[in-house]
Amino acid sequence: MELFAEIVISLMLVIGGLFGLLGSFGLIKLDDTMRRLHAPTKATTLGVGGVLIASMLYFAVFMGDVSYHELLITAFLFITAPITANFVAKAHMHRDVKERDLPRTGGGYGWAGYDEIGDEEQPIDTK
């Protein structure tokens, strides 16, 4: 049983490390801010998640103790990473992208960050 647990923990560490490496490589190599945004928020989050799962398994199997710290860290990471990515994307859009350069939204309203206050009752003419 211990050998199987060691193999699973090792695999989770290797998978987590590979995701972390891919996320770091993507952050360095991708050329655009919006493309770079996906590497750390997606791949690196999965990498840290793999390492935390390996840590939870280790403490449960070998120490006989259930560790809630890793579970809380995982929940915090999975909640904060998408919110941070959203803030960085909005900041990039407001700084470097004009509204006329954005694609049509397909709905009755434009991009939320570019609408003036009070425009929510006036849909954009899509004709």
Side-chain angles (χ1 to χ4, degrees), residues 66-104:
V66 178
S67 176
Y68 295 107
H69 296 97
E70 288 89 354
L71 189 61
L72 290 172
I73 293 168
T74 304
F76 182 71
L77 180 69
F78 285 163
I79 290 170
T80 58
I83 294 170
T84 304
N86 187 21
F87 285 151
V88 170
K90 280 199 174 253
H92 170 74
M93 285 176 58
H94 283 285
R95 187 176 142 216
D96 296 331
V97 180
K98 303 288 184 233
E99 186 177 10
R100 66 178 176 273
D101 296 334
L102 294 171
R104 303 284 296 168

Side-chain angles (χ1 to χ4, degrees), residues 4 28 63 68:
F4 179 71
I28 293 170
M63 301 295 177
Y68 295 107

Side-chain angles (χ1 to χ4, degrees), residues 12-126:
M12 292 304 298
L13 287 172
V14 169
I15 290 170
L18 287 174
F19 272 113
L21 180 67
L22 284 173
S24 301
F25 185 73
L27 181 64
I28 293 170
K29 285 294 184 179
L30 293 174
D31 57 350
D32 186 11
T33 303
M34 294 302 275
R35 289 185 186 132
R36 281 186 187 157
L37 186 62
H38 290 286
T41 57
K42 307 296 186 280
T44 309
T45 301
L46 290 173
V48 172
V51 171
L52 288 169
I53 290 171
S55 177
M56 284 189 285
L57 288 174
Y58 175 78
F59 278 104
V61 172
F62 293 107
M63 301 295 177
D65 188 26
V66 178
S67 176
Y68 295 107
H69 296 97
E70 288 89 354
L71 189 61
L72 290 172
I73 293 168
T74 304
F76 182 71
L77 180 69
F78 285 163
I79 290 170
T80 58
I83 294 170
T84 304
N86 187 21
F87 285 151
V88 170
K90 280 199 174 253
H92 170 74
M93 285 176 58
H94 283 285
R95 187 176 142 216
D96 296 331
V97 180
K98 303 288 184 233
E99 186 177 10
R100 66 178 176 273
D101 296 334
L102 294 171
R104 303 284 296 168
T105 60
Y109 298 97
W111 288 82
Y114 292 95
D115 289 343
E116 295 292 326
I117 297 175
D119 282 351
E120 59 269 60
E121 279 94 32
Q122 302 169 355
I124 294 174
D125 187 18
T126 57

